[in-house]
Amino acid sequence: MAEDKRKQIALRLSTSLYNDLAQWAEDDFRSLNGQIEFLLHQAVQKRKGEQRHKDEDRDVEEML
């Protein structure tokens, strides 16, 4: 069986950000850790998509 390898990191948050994330996690029926991981995953996917679009735009410009 494949082992799910995860890295642990220390994360410092302001009290207000912590409280906002905790409430959001509760609203979405996730743990706080799960919510942070979910949000980070979305941000990385969005960034990758934007980078892909930039690369595609650059390819089009080079062809012109």
Side-chain angles (χ1 to χ4, degrees):
M1 183 163 97
E3 185 178 329
D4 185 18
K5 296 184 180 187
R6 295 178 180 257
K7 299 289 184 183
Q8 294 182 2
I9 61 167
L11 180 63
R12 292 178 182 87
L13 302 172
S14 68
T15 302
S16 62
L17 179 57
Y18 177 91
N19 291 336
D20 289 343
L21 287 170
Q23 184 59 56
W24 192 359
E26 186 177 321
D27 293 345
D28 288 354
F29 303 104
R30 291 188 181 98
S31 67
L32 179 58
N33 189 70
Q35 186 73 5
I36 292 169
E37 187 174 2
F38 173 78
L39 294 170
L40 288 172
H41 180 75
Q42 281 189 322
V44 168
Q45 294 298 29
K46 180 180 177 188
R47 182 174 186 272
K48 284 181 179 180
E50 289 173 357
Q51 185 61 46
R52 185 173 55 246
H53 291 303
K54 288 179 186 176
D55 291 343
E56 289 170 358
D57 291 344
R58 190 176 313 121
D59 291 344
V60 169
E61 288 174 5
E62 288 175 359
M63 290 182 350
L64 297 176

